[in-house]
Amino acid sequence: MSSAPIVVHRPSSAGGRRVTAHSSGREERLGTAFSDHDLVVLLEGAGVDDPERVLDDPRWVEWRGGDPHDYRATPPSSGPGPVTGR
């Protein structure tokens, strides 16, 4: 796990990625980003100076699950298939 203060979580099944800020052991939800522009706006609102420059800096941003900069919806994971036979 990274110590980056900003975490961009995996894409949701509806699209977009939850963005959280971590500081002093606390997590604050900044919002949901549907594009890099949305992410920059969220980071500006959180007081990050020059947020466009930190998007690919792992000291600042940790991208979890899925490729960085990919905000497309992901299909919901299907659990284990049906049990057949005995």
Side-chain angles (χ1 to χ4, degrees):
M1 180 165 300
S2 161
S3 61
I6 305 296
V7 176
V8 181
H9 298 268
R10 67 179 175 77
S12 75
S13 61
R17 298 175 84 140
R18 184 168 51 100
V19 181
T20 55
H22 301 262
S23 177
S24 302
R26 296 183 58 198
E27 177 180 284
E28 177 184 353
R29 184 177 176 145
L30 300 180
T32 302
F34 292 89
S35 66
D36 280 350
H37 173 76
D38 290 348
L39 181 54
V40 165
V41 169
L42 292 173
L43 297 181
E44 284 175 341
V48 174
D49 291 329
D50 204 3
E52 291 176 346
R53 290 187 52 171
V54 304
L55 294 185
D56 292 310
D57 185 340
R59 295 171 297 176
W60 277 93
V61 177
E62 176 187 353
W63 295 85
R64 289 188 187 166
D67 294 328
H69 312 284
D70 184 1
Y71 300 87
R72 293 174 293 171
T74 58
S77 61
S78 60
V83 177
T84 58
R86 285 198 181 248

